Amino acid sequence: MNTANQMCLECGKPLKGRRDKKYCDDQCRNNYNNKQQHGTDEPVRRINHILKRNRQILKEALGNDRTIVLAHEALLEKGYDFTYHTDQFVTQTNQVYHYCYDYGLKKNDNNRYMIVKKMEKKN
Ligand SMILES: [Zn+2]
């Protein structure tokens, strides 16, 4: 490996000294690690937030009903994000349910969605 061009992972300055050095000093190492931590966690937090919001929207829309049908626009207005779901279920008749945790929806005709609560699985 060519060590002549080794640079600090944090500030990009050329490194001198030990071959296995990755940072100028402790400060650069700490800054880099903090950013990594933040950088990897942020999307997780963001997507978890969307999934929880999706679930809350479905839960509130469904209330105590077993199923309810809502227009695509109505879901969008509530802030539902169709990009994210936790899992999907395809029935034998090729109906696709997308779930956010224990609440899910299935696309019907006319741009409408049927909202359901996941059945408890009994072993
Ligand atoms: Zn540095």
Side-chain angles (χ1 to χ4, degrees), residues 30-73:
N30 288 338
N31 287 346
Y32 183 82
N33 286 336
N34 287 342
K35 276 189 210 162
Q36 287 295 104
Q37 197 70 33
H38 187 75
T40 53
D41 282 0
E42 200 280 326
V44 174
R45 272 199 297 271
R46 188 173 56 82
I47 293 168
N48 281 347
H49 178 78
I50 292 169
L51 286 169
K52 283 177 191 163
R53 191 181 56 197
N54 278 354
R55 179 186 181 270
Q56 191 61 29
I57 289 165
L58 297 181
K59 186 184 174 192
E60 281 175 11
L62 190 58
N64 290 322
D65 294 328
R66 285 189 64 198
T67 67
I68 189 177
V69 175
L70 278 184
H72 184 250
E73 303 83 59

CSV table of all heavy atoms in Angstrom, one decimal, residues 30-73:
chain,number,residue,atom,x,y,z
A,30,ASN,N,-11.9,12.4,17.1
A,30,ASN,CA,-13.2,12.6,17.7
A,30,ASN,C,-14.3,13.2,16.8
A,30,ASN,O,-15.4,12.8,16.7
A,30,ASN,CB,-13.1,13.4,19.0
A,30,ASN,CG,-12.4,12.7,20.1
A,30,ASN,OD1,-12.4,11.4,20.1
A,30,ASN,ND2,-11.8,13.4,21.0
A,31,ASN,N,-13.8,14.2,16.1
A,31,ASN,CA,-14.8,14.9,15.1
A,31,ASN,C,-15.3,13.9,14.1
A,31,ASN,O,-16.4,13.9,13.8
A,31,ASN,CB,-14.1,16.1,14.4
A,31,ASN,CG,-13.8,17.2,15.4
A,31,ASN,OD1,-14.4,17.3,16.4
A,31,ASN,ND2,-13.0,18.2,14.9
A,32,TYR,N,-14.3,13.1,13.6
A,32,TYR,CA,-14.7,12.2,12.5
A,32,TYR,C,-15.7,11.1,13.1
A,32,TYR,O,-16.7,10.9,12.4
A,32,TYR,CB,-13.4,11.5,12.0
A,32,TYR,CG,-13.7,10.5,10.9
A,32,TYR,CD1,-13.8,11.0,9.5
A,32,TYR,CD2,-13.9,9.1,11.1
A,32,TYR,CE1,-14.1,10.1,8.5
A,32,TYR,CE2,-14.1,8.3,10.1
A,32,TYR,CZ,-14.3,8.7,8.8
A,32,TYR,OH,-14.5,7.9,7.7
A,33,ASN,N,-15.4,10.6,14.2
A,33,ASN,CA,-16.3,9.6,14.8
A,33,ASN,C,-17.6,10.1,15.1
A,33,ASN,O,-18.7,9.5,14.9
A,33,ASN,CB,-15.6,9.0,16.1
A,33,ASN,CG,-14.5,8.1,15.8
A,33,ASN,OD1,-14.4,7.5,14.7
A,33,ASN,ND2,-13.6,7.9,16.7
A,34,ASN,N,-17.7,11.4,15.6
A,34,ASN,CA,-19.0,12.0,15.9
A,34,ASN,C,-19.8,12.1,14.6
A,34,ASN,O,-21.0,11.9,14.6
A,34,ASN,CB,-18.8,13.4,16.5
A,34,ASN,CG,-18.3,13.3,18.0
A,34,ASN,OD1,-18.4,12.2,18.6
A,34,ASN,ND2,-17.8,14.4,18.5
A,35,LYS,N,-19.2,12.6,13.6
A,35,LYS,CA,-19.9,12.7,12.3
A,35,LYS,C,-20.4,11.4,11.8
A,35,LYS,O,-21.5,11.3,11.3
A,35,LYS,CB,-19.0,13.3,11.2
A,35,LYS,CG,-18.9,14.9,11.3
A,35,LYS,CD,-18.2,15.4,10.1
A,35,LYS,CE,-17.5,16.7,10.5
A,35,LYS,NZ,-16.4,17.0,9.5
A,36,GLN,N,-19.5,10.4,11.9
A,36,GLN,CA,-19.9,9.0,11.4
A,36,GLN,C,-21.2,8.6,12.2
A,36,GLN,O,-22.1,8.1,11.6
A,36,GLN,CB,-18.8,8.0,11.7
A,36,GLN,CG,-17.7,8.1,10.8
A,36,GLN,CD,-18.0,7.9,9.3
A,36,GLN,OE1,-18.2,8.8,8.5
A,36,GLN,NE2,-18.2,6.6,9.0
A,37,GLN,N,-21.1,8.8,13.5
A,37,GLN,CA,-22.2,8.4,14.4
A,37,GLN,C,-23.5,9.1,13.9
A,37,GLN,O,-24.5,8.5,13.7
A,37,GLN,CB,-21.9,8.8,15.8
A,37,GLN,CG,-22.7,8.1,16.8
A,37,GLN,CD,-22.4,6.6,16.9
A,37,GLN,OE1,-21.3,6.3,16.7
A,37,GLN,NE2,-23.4,5.8,17.2
A,38,HIS,N,-23.4,10.4,13.8
A,38,HIS,CA,-24.5,11.2,13.4
A,38,HIS,C,-25.0,10.8,12.0
A,38,HIS,O,-26.2,10.6,11.7
A,38,HIS,CB,-24.2,12.6,13.4
A,38,HIS,CG,-25.4,13.5,13.2
A,38,HIS,ND1,-26.3,13.7,14.2
A,38,HIS,CD2,-25.8,14.2,12.1
A,38,HIS,CE1,-27.3,14.5,13.7
A,38,HIS,NE2,-27.0,14.8,12.5
A,39,GLY,N,-24.0,10.6,11.1
A,39,GLY,CA,-24.4,10.4,9.7
A,39,GLY,C,-25.1,9.0,9.5
A,39,GLY,O,-26.0,8.9,8.6
A,40,THR,N,-24.7,8.0,10.3
A,40,THR,CA,-25.4,6.7,10.1
A,40,THR,C,-26.7,6.7,10.8
A,40,THR,O,-27.6,6.0,10.4
A,40,THR,CB,-24.5,5.6,10.6
A,40,THR,OG1,-24.1,5.9,11.9
A,40,THR,CG2,-23.3,5.4,9.7
A,41,ASP,N,-26.9,7.4,11.9
A,41,ASP,CA,-28.1,7.4,12.7
A,41,ASP,C,-29.2,8.2,12.1
A,41,ASP,O,-30.4,7.9,12.2
A,41,ASP,CB,-27.9,7.9,14.1
A,41,ASP,CG,-27.2,6.8,14.9
A,41,ASP,OD1,-27.0,5.7,14.4
A,41,ASP,OD2,-26.9,7.0,16.1
A,42,GLU,N,-28.9,9.3,11.4
A,42,GLU,CA,-29.9,10.3,11.0
A,42,GLU,C,-30.9,9.6,10.1
A,42,GLU,O,-32.1,9.8,10.3
A,42,GLU,CB,-29.2,11.5,10.4
A,42,GLU,CG,-30.1,12.7,10.3
A,42,GLU,CD,-31.0,12.6,9.2
A,42,GLU,OE1,-30.7,12.1,8.1
A,42,GLU,OE2,-32.2,13.2,9.4
A,43,PRO,N,-30.5,8.9,9.0
A,43,PRO,CA,-31.5,8.3,8.1
A,43,PRO,C,-32.4,7.3,8.9
A,43,PRO,O,-33.6,7.2,8.6
A,43,PRO,CB,-30.7,7.6,7.0
A,43,PRO,CG,-29.3,8.2,7.1
A,43,PRO,CD,-29.1,8.6,8.6
A,44,VAL,N,-31.8,6.6,9.8
A,44,VAL,CA,-32.6,5.6,10.6
A,44,VAL,C,-33.7,6.3,11.4
A,44,VAL,O,-34.8,5.9,11.4
A,44,VAL,CB,-31.7,4.8,11.5
A,44,VAL,CG1,-32.5,3.9,12.4
A,44,VAL,CG2,-30.6,4.0,10.7
A,45,ARG,N,-33.3,7.4,12.0
A,45,ARG,CA,-34.2,8.2,12.8
A,45,ARG,C,-35.3,8.7,11.9
A,45,ARG,O,-36.5,8.7,12.2
A,45,ARG,CB,-33.6,9.3,13.5
A,45,ARG,CG,-33.0,8.9,14.9
A,45,ARG,CD,-32.8,10.2,15.7
A,45,ARG,NE,-31.8,11.0,15.1
A,45,ARG,CZ,-30.5,11.0,15.4
A,45,ARG,NH1,-30.0,10.1,16.2
A,45,ARG,NH2,-29.6,11.8,14.8
A,46,ARG,N,-34.9,9.2,10.7
A,46,ARG,CA,-35.9,9.9,9.8
A,46,ARG,C,-36.9,8.8,9.3
A,46,ARG,O,-38.1,9.1,9.3
A,46,ARG,CB,-35.1,10.4,8.6
A,46,ARG,CG,-35.9,11.3,7.7
A,46,ARG,CD,-35.0,12.0,6.7
A,46,ARG,NE,-34.2,11.0,5.9
A,46,ARG,CZ,-34.7,10.4,4.8
A,46,ARG,NH1,-35.9,10.5,4.4
A,46,ARG,NH2,-33.9,9.5,4.2
A,47,ILE,N,-36.4,7.7,8.9
A,47,ILE,CA,-37.3,6.6,8.4
A,47,ILE,C,-38.2,6.0,9.5
A,47,ILE,O,-39.4,5.8,9.2
A,47,ILE,CB,-36.5,5.6,7.6
A,47,ILE,CG1,-35.8,6.2,6.4
A,47,ILE,CG2,-37.4,4.4,7.2
A,47,ILE,CD1,-34.8,5.3,5.7
A,48,ASN,N,-37.6,5.8,10.6
A,48,ASN,CA,-38.4,5.4,11.8
A,48,ASN,C,-39.6,6.3,12.0
A,48,ASN,O,-40.7,5.9,12.3
A,48,ASN,CB,-37.6,5.2,13.0
A,48,ASN,CG,-36.8,3.9,13.0
A,48,ASN,OD1,-37.0,3.1,12.2
A,48,ASN,ND2,-35.8,3.8,13.9
A,49,HIS,N,-39.2,7.6,12.0
A,49,HIS,CA,-40.2,8.6,12.2
A,49,HIS,C,-41.4,8.5,11.2
A,49,HIS,O,-42.5,8.6,11.5
A,49,HIS,CB,-39.6,10.0,12.2
A,49,HIS,CG,-40.5,11.1,12.4
A,49,HIS,ND1,-41.0,11.5,13.6
A,49,HIS,CD2,-41.1,12.0,11.5
A,49,HIS,CE1,-41.9,12.5,13.5
A,49,HIS,NE2,-41.9,12.8,12.2
A,50,ILE,N,-41.0,8.4,9.9
A,50,ILE,CA,-42.0,8.3,8.8
A,50,ILE,C,-42.9,7.0,9.0
A,50,ILE,O,-44.1,7.1,8.9
A,50,ILE,CB,-41.3,8.2,7.4
A,50,ILE,CG1,-40.6,9.5,7.1
A,50,ILE,CG2,-42.3,7.8,6.3
A,50,ILE,CD1,-39.7,9.5,5.9
A,51,LEU,N,-42.2,5.9,9.4
A,51,LEU,CA,-43.0,4.7,9.6
A,51,LEU,C,-44.0,4.8,10.7
A,51,LEU,O,-45.1,4.4,10.6
A,51,LEU,CB,-42.0,3.5,9.8
A,51,LEU,CG,-41.3,3.0,8.6
A,51,LEU,CD1,-40.2,2.0,9.1
A,51,LEU,CD2,-42.2,2.3,7.6
A,52,LYS,N,-43.5,5.4,11.8
A,52,LYS,CA,-44.4,5.6,12.9
A,52,LYS,C,-45.5,6.6,12.6
A,52,LYS,O,-46.7,6.4,13.0
A,52,LYS,CB,-43.6,6.1,14.2
A,52,LYS,CG,-42.8,5.0,14.8
A,52,LYS,CD,-42.0,5.6,16.0
A,52,LYS,CE,-41.0,4.5,16.5
A,52,LYS,NZ,-40.0,5.1,17.3
A,53,ARG,N,-45.2,7.6,11.8
A,53,ARG,CA,-46.3,8.5,11.4
A,53,ARG,C,-47.3,7.8,10.5
A,53,ARG,O,-48.5,8.0,10.7
A,53,ARG,CB,-45.7,9.8,10.7
A,53,ARG,CG,-46.7,10.9,10.5
A,53,ARG,CD,-46.0,12.1,9.8
A,53,ARG,NE,-45.4,11.6,8.5
A,53,ARG,CZ,-44.5,12.3,7.8
A,53,ARG,NH1,-44.1,13.4,8.3
A,53,ARG,NH2,-44.1,11.9,6.7
A,54,ASN,N,-46.8,7.0,9.6
A,54,ASN,CA,-47.7,6.3,8.7
A,54,ASN,C,-48.6,5.4,9.5
A,54,ASN,O,-49.8,5.4,9.3
A,54,ASN,CB,-46.8,5.4,7.8
A,54,ASN,CG,-46.3,6.1,6.5
A,54,ASN,OD1,-46.7,7.3,6.3
A,54,ASN,ND2,-45.5,5.5,5.8
A,55,ARG,N,-48.0,4.7,10.5
A,55,ARG,CA,-48.8,3.8,11.3
A,55,ARG,C,-49.9,4.6,12.1
A,55,ARG,O,-51.1,4.2,12.1
A,55,ARG,CB,-47.9,3.1,12.3
A,55,ARG,CG,-48.7,2.1,13.2
A,55,ARG,CD,-47.9,1.5,14.3
A,55,ARG,NE,-48.7,0.6,15.2
A,55,ARG,CZ,-49.3,1.0,16.3
A,55,ARG,NH1,-49.3,2.3,16.6
A,55,ARG,NH2,-50.0,0.2,17.0
A,56,GLN,N,-49.5,5.7,12.6
A,56,GLN,CA,-50.4,6.6,13.4
A,56,GLN,C,-51.6,7.1,12.5
A,56,GLN,O,-52.7,7.1,12.9
A,56,GLN,CB,-49.7,7.8,14.0
A,56,GLN,CG,-50.5,8.6,15.0
A,56,GLN,CD,-50.9,7.7,16.2
A,56,GLN,OE1,-50.2,6.8,16.5
A,56,GLN,NE2,-52.0,8.1,16.8
A,57,ILE,N,-51.2,7.4,11.2
A,57,ILE,CA,-52.3,7.9,10.3
A,57,ILE,C,-53.3,6.8,10.0
A,57,ILE,O,-54.5,7.0,10.0
A,57,ILE,CB,-51.6,8.4,9.0
A,57,ILE,CG1,-50.9,9.7,9.3
A,57,ILE,CG2,-52.6,8.6,7.9
A,57,ILE,CD1,-49.9,10.1,8.2
A,58,LEU,N,-52.7,5.6,9.8
A,58,LEU,CA,-53.6,4.4,9.5
A,58,LEU,C,-54.5,4.1,10.7
A,58,LEU,O,-55.7,3.8,10.6
A,58,LEU,CB,-52.8,3.2,9.0
A,58,LEU,CG,-52.0,3.4,7.7
A,58,LEU,CD1,-51.2,2.1,7.4
A,58,LEU,CD2,-52.8,3.7,6.6
A,59,LYS,N,-53.8,4.1,11.8
A,59,LYS,CA,-54.6,3.8,13.1
A,59,LYS,C,-55.7,4.7,13.3
A,59,LYS,O,-56.8,4.3,13.6
A,59,LYS,CB,-53.5,3.8,14.2
A,59,LYS,CG,-54.1,3.3,15.5
A,59,LYS,CD,-53.1,3.5,16.7
A,59,LYS,CE,-53.8,3.1,18.0
A,59,LYS,NZ,-52.9,3.5,19.1
A,60,GLU,N,-55.4,6.0,13.2
A,60,GLU,CA,-56.4,7.0,13.4
A,60,GLU,C,-57.6,7.0,12.4
A,60,GLU,O,-58.7,7.1,12.7
A,60,GLU,CB,-55.8,8.4,13.4
A,60,GLU,CG,-55.1,8.8,14.7
A,60,GLU,CD,-54.4,10.1,14.7
A,60,GLU,OE1,-54.6,10.9,13.7
A,60,GLU,OE2,-53.6,10.3,15.6
A,61,ALA,N,-57.2,6.7,11.1
A,61,ALA,CA,-58.2,6.6,10.1
A,61,ALA,C,-59.1,5.4,10.3
A,61,ALA,O,-60.3,5.5,10.1
A,61,ALA,CB,-57.5,6.4,8.7
A,62,LEU,N,-58.5,4.3,10.8
A,62,LEU,CA,-59.3,3.1,11.0
A,62,LEU,C,-60.2,3.1,12.2
A,62,LEU,O,-61.3,2.7,12.2
A,62,LEU,CB,-58.3,1.9,11.0
A,62,LEU,CG,-58.9,0.5,11.0
A,62,LEU,CD1,-59.7,0.3,9.7
A,62,LEU,CD2,-57.8,-0.6,11.1
A,63,GLY,N,-59.7,3.7,13.2
A,63,GLY,CA,-60.4,3.8,14.5
A,63,GLY,C,-60.8,2.4,15.0
A,63,GLY,O,-59.9,1.5,15.0
A,64,ASN,N,-62.1,2.2,15.3
A,64,ASN,CA,-62.5,0.9,15.7
A,64,ASN,C,-63.1,0.0,14.6
A,64,ASN,O,-63.5,-1.1,14.9
A,64,ASN,CB,-63.5,1.0,16.8
A,64,ASN,CG,-62.9,1.6,18.1
A,64,ASN,OD1,-61.8,1.2,18.4
A,64,ASN,ND2,-63.6,2.4,18.8
A,65,ASP,N,-63.0,0.5,13.4
A,65,ASP,CA,-63.5,-0.3,12.3
A,65,ASP,C,-62.6,-1.4,11.9
A,65,ASP,O,-61.4,-1.3,12.2
A,65,ASP,CB,-63.8,0.6,11.0
A,65,ASP,CG,-64.8,1.7,11.3
A,65,ASP,OD1,-65.8,1.4,12.0
A,65,ASP,OD2,-64.7,2.8,10.7
A,66,ARG,N,-63.1,-2.4,11.2
A,66,ARG,CA,-62.3,-3.5,10.7
A,66,ARG,C,-61.5,-3.1,9.5
A,66,ARG,O,-60.4,-3.4,9.3
A,66,ARG,CB,-63.1,-4.7,10.5
A,66,ARG,CG,-63.5,-5.4,11.8
A,66,ARG,CD,-64.1,-6.8,11.6
A,66,ARG,NE,-63.1,-7.7,10.9
A,66,ARG,CZ,-63.5,-8.8,10.3
A,66,ARG,NH1,-64.8,-9.1,10.1
A,66,ARG,NH2,-62.6,-9.6,9.8
A,67,THR,N,-62.2,-2.4,8.6
A,67,THR,CA,-61.6,-1.9,7.4
A,67,THR,C,-62.2,-0.5,7.1
A,67,THR,O,-63.3,-0.2,7.5
A,67,THR,CB,-61.8,-2.8,6.1
A,67,THR,OG1,-63.2,-2.8,5.8
A,67,THR,CG2,-61.4,-4.2,6.4
A,68,ILE,N,-61.5,0.3,6.3
A,68,ILE,CA,-62.0,1.6,5.9
A,68,ILE,C,-61.3,1.8,4.5
A,68,ILE,O,-60.2,1.3,4.2
A,68,ILE,CB,-61.7,2.7,6.9
A,68,ILE,CG1,-62.4,4.0,6.5
A,68,ILE,CG2,-60.2,2.9,7.0
A,68,ILE,CD1,-62.2,5.1,7.6
A,69,VAL,N,-62.0,2.6,3.7
A,69,VAL,CA,-61.5,2.9,2.4
A,69,VAL,C,-61.2,4.4,2.3
A,69,VAL,O,-62.1,5.2,2.6
A,69,VAL,CB,-62.4,2.5,1.2
A,69,VAL,CG1,-61.8,2.9,-0.1
A,69,VAL,CG2,-62.5,1.0,1.2
A,70,LEU,N,-60.0,4.8,1.9
A,70,LEU,CA,-59.7,6.2,1.8
A,70,LEU,C,-59.1,6.5,0.4
A,70,LEU,O,-58.4,5.6,-0.2
A,70,LEU,CB,-58.6,6.6,2.8
A,70,LEU,CG,-59.1,6.9,4.2
A,70,LEU,CD1,-57.9,7.4,5.0
A,70,LEU,CD2,-60.1,8.0,4.2
A,71,ALA,N,-59.3,7.7,-0.1
A,71,ALA,CA,-58.7,8.1,-1.4
A,71,ALA,C,-57.2,8.3,-1.2
A,71,ALA,O,-56.8,8.7,-0.1
A,71,ALA,CB,-59.4,9.3,-1.9
A,72,HIS,N,-56.5,8.1,-2.3
A,72,HIS,CA,-55.0,8.4,-2.3
A,72,HIS,C,-54.7,9.8,-1.8
A,72,HIS,O,-53.9,10.0,-0.9
A,72,HIS,CB,-54.5,8.2,-3.7
A,72,HIS,CG,-53.1,8.3,-3.9
A,72,HIS,ND1,-52.5,9.3,-4.5
A,72,HIS,CD2,-52.0,7.5,-3.4
A,72,HIS,CE1,-51.2,9.2,-4.5
A,72,HIS,NE2,-50.9,8.1,-3.9
A,73,GLU,N,-55.5,10.8,-2.3
A,73,GLU,CA,-55.2,12.2,-1.9
A,73,GLU,C,-55.5,12.4,-0.4
A,73,GLU,O,-54.8,13.2,0.2
A,73,GLU,CB,-56.1,13.1,-2.7
A,73,GLU,CG,-56.0,13.0,-4.2
A,73,GLU,CD,-56.9,11.9,-4.7
A,73,GLU,OE1,-58.1,11.9,-4.5
A,73,GLU,OE2,-56.3,11.0,-5.4
